Amino acid sequence: MDFSLNAEQQLLKDSVDKYMSERYDSEQRRSYLAAPKGFSAAVWQDFGNLGWLTVPLPESEGGFGGSVVDTAVLMEAMGRSVAVEPYLATVLLAGQLIANGDNATLKERYLPDILSGNCQAAFAYQERRSRHQLDAIDCQLERNGDGYSLNGHKTLVLNGAIADVLIVTAWLDESIALFAVPANSAGVHCDAFRLMDGQGVANVRFDAVQLPRENLVCAGAGSMALIRRVLDEATIAVSAQAVGAMEYLLKATVDYSNTRKQFGQPIGKFQALQHRMVDMYTATEQCRSLLVRALCSNSIEQGDVQTQAQAEMDIAALKAMVGKLGRAVAEEAVQIHGGMGVTEELNIGDYLKRLMVIDSLFGDQDWQRRRFATLRYQ
């Protein structure tokens, strides 16, 4: 079986790599993080102009109609530079939910601006007791004349502090519904802060937020299926980002070991360090192999329950191993670089922080192992 990229995917990879090499050294990245929004508005606009924001969205909604493989190619390239732009939150989560929902009015209202880079969005689905269980929700939508009233709290909303629109999960008539909530609505309160890697998040409170009926993205049985599909694809995407980060750390560590001298020779000649770098290479390739497996199983039509379960198992295995081995590779890179590995003189620590955050997204390695076991023996 041929696992190589096709011509379009290779062109996408080359274009992202070239752009990131020019616009994303460690000093530039830190300047982007120091901006008021936590990323560069100019770089985000470039993403829109280059068409990268359209890659995963359906052609019927103005997107490129790319597959999970196309998205993984893009995210892996961003992972090699530890990009700080909210691609995951705006495009892969909120944008996908709107694009694949049932509301044509919302698509017309938000998707053109998302695709052009003029709208920031976020998916608010986690709550304090959720622990990655999608139906552990206390937010409630109550009917109020021709509209609805939303009450509740959401935690760790990626991009929530600067989003123009929040896609929120809440109970409506004994089923989970998705609603588009403009961030400037009366009764929306955000408590913004940053994760260890600098990404902006927010805890959001909704106090009797009044919403019209036309803000309903999706309701009924289809809502949970849509949420699971979008989160599964996002899990593959962040895993691809982790593989890109691991690849960078391996290369940077090998290069450093060939230039840093001790006892009159490069430290890369010391057998003990060679063994550790071989372990880094093995871990990176193991995660890449699991990524390819997950991409293959999630690129085919899910014709039966067994096929769907296998695809979900592949995602769980990928995410669990990325969480375990990604951190191990980053810690080895820090160790081989010595004390400099965690200083601002080098960017190795930035990759360690990002890989630790990726482990926690959408279920950490322990949670994903339990998910795998449940799917395997159900």
Side-chain angles (χ1 to χ4, degrees):
M1 184 177 291
D2 185 8
F3 295 119
S4 59
L5 303 177
N6 62 34
E8 288 183 345
Q9 291 163 348
Q10 187 63 49
L11 183 62
L12 175 63
K13 176 184 180 299
D14 292 343
S15 67
V16 182
D17 283 339
K18 183 175 185 298
Y19 181 89
M20 290 297 178
S21 67
E22 296 173 352
R23 298 295 300 272
Y24 247 95
D25 62 31
S26 57
E27 290 185 5
Q28 288 171 315
R29 180 181 182 275
R30 292 189 181 106
S31 71
Y32 300 157
L33 277 175
K37 290 186 176 181
F39 64 92
S40 168
V43 170
W44 184 253
Q45 197 60 56
D46 286 343
F47 283 14
N49 295 337
L50 291 166
W52 297 344
L53 303 183
T54 72
V55 169
L57 300 181
E59 287 186 88
S60 59
E61 308 304 335
F64 178 75
S67 65
V68 288
V69 179
D70 299 312
T71 303
V73 168
L74 185 64
M75 291 293 285
E76 186 179 334
M78 290 184 181
R80 284 189 283 272
S81 299
V82 204
V84 299
E85 283 66 36
Y87 194 90
L88 172 65
T90 296
V91 180
L92 298 183
L93 293 175
Q96 284 282 50
L97 290 169
I98 295 173
N100 291 281
D102 301 328
N103 194 321
T105 301
L106 287 178
K107 295 177 185 180
E108 294 175 2
R109 185 189 308 171
Y110 291 114
L111 287 182
D113 285 339
I114 288 176
L115 295 174
S116 64
N118 294 318
C119 177
Q120 291 294 326
F123 180 32
Y125 71 101
Q126 294 189 98
E127 300 187 9
R128 294 187 185 278
R129 71 179 186 92
S130 294
R131 301 297 189 269
H132 306 294
Q133 299 301 318
L134 299 179
D135 57 354
I137 295 174
D138 294 323
C139 269
Q140 294 284 340
L141 280 162
E142 298 178 357
R143 296 185 183 277
N144 184 5
D146 292 333
Y148 302 90
S149 178
L150 174 64
N151 289 276
H153 295 76
K154 296 294 181 180
T155 62
L156 296 173
V157 180
L158 294 172
N159 205 37
I162 64 167
D164 300 301
V165 60
L166 304 166
I167 307 302
V168 182
T169 56
W171 286 104
L172 174 65
D173 298 337
E174 299 184 352
S175 67
I176 293 175
L178 287 164
F179 255 83
V181 181
N184 60 359
S185 300
V188 177
H189 308 279
C190 288
D191 179 17
F193 57 100
R194 293 195 179 189
L195 301 177
M196 70 171 68
D197 65 343
Q199 290 187 87
V201 298
N203 293 334
V204 186
R205 187 176 81 251
F206 304 98
D207 291 333
V209 179
Q210 302 304 307
L211 299 168
R213 188 181 300 273
E214 53 266 24
N215 278 32
L216 179 65
V217 177
C218 187
S223 294
M224 186 56 71
L226 174 59
I227 293 169
R228 291 187 186 281
R229 178 162 65 86
V230 168
L231 288 180
D232 278 348
E233 292 182 1
T235 301
I236 295 176
V238 296
S239 298
Q241 189 179 39
V243 170
M246 294 166 70
E247 182 183 271
Y248 173 87
L249 287 170
L250 173 63
K251 182 179 183 302
T253 303
V254 172
D255 290 345
Y256 177 79
S257 71
N258 289 328
T259 56
R260 173 75 166 90
K261 291 186 176 180
Q262 190 71 29
F263 306 111
Q265 60 182 329
I267 62 173
K269 290 185 176 292
F270 301 151
Q271 191 175 49
L273 294 187
Q274 290 176 356
H275 289 170
R276 292 169 70 174
M277 286 183 281
V278 168
D279 289 341
M280 292 173 66
Y281 172 81
T282 303
T284 302
E285 290 305 304
Q286 184 176 352
C287 288
R288 182 176 295 283
S289 297
L290 288 168
L291 173 62
V292 171
R293 180 181 175 94
L295 289 171
C296 289
S297 62
N298 284 272
S299 296
I300 61 176
E301 292 293 330
Q302 307 299 326
D304 54 60
V305 174
Q306 184 176 2
T307 304
Q308 177 63 34
Q310 183 61 58
E312 293 180 11
M313 285 169 58
D314 291 342
I315 293 173
L318 167 64
K319 186 61 167 55
M321 295 309 291
V322 158
K324 176 183 177 181
L325 298 180
R327 181 166 180 169
V329 166
E331 289 176 346
E332 283 285 19
V334 168
Q335 288 290 325
I336 294 175
H337 278 81
M340 292 172 57
V342 290
T343 67
E344 290 193 358
E345 186 173 350
L346 298 178
N347 60 0
I348 301 301
D350 297 334
Y351 287 81
L352 171 60
K353 294 172 187 176
R354 174 58 58 85
L355 286 165
M356 291 174 69
V357 169
I358 287 176
D359 179 30
S360 67
L361 292 175
F362 314 128
D364 62 11
Q365 53 185 294
D366 294 330
W367 189 88
Q368 293 290 352
R369 286 196 191 97
R370 290 193 294 271
R371 180 190 181 193
F372 181 92
T374 299
L375 290 165
R376 175 67 177 82
Y377 297 108
Q378 66 182 2

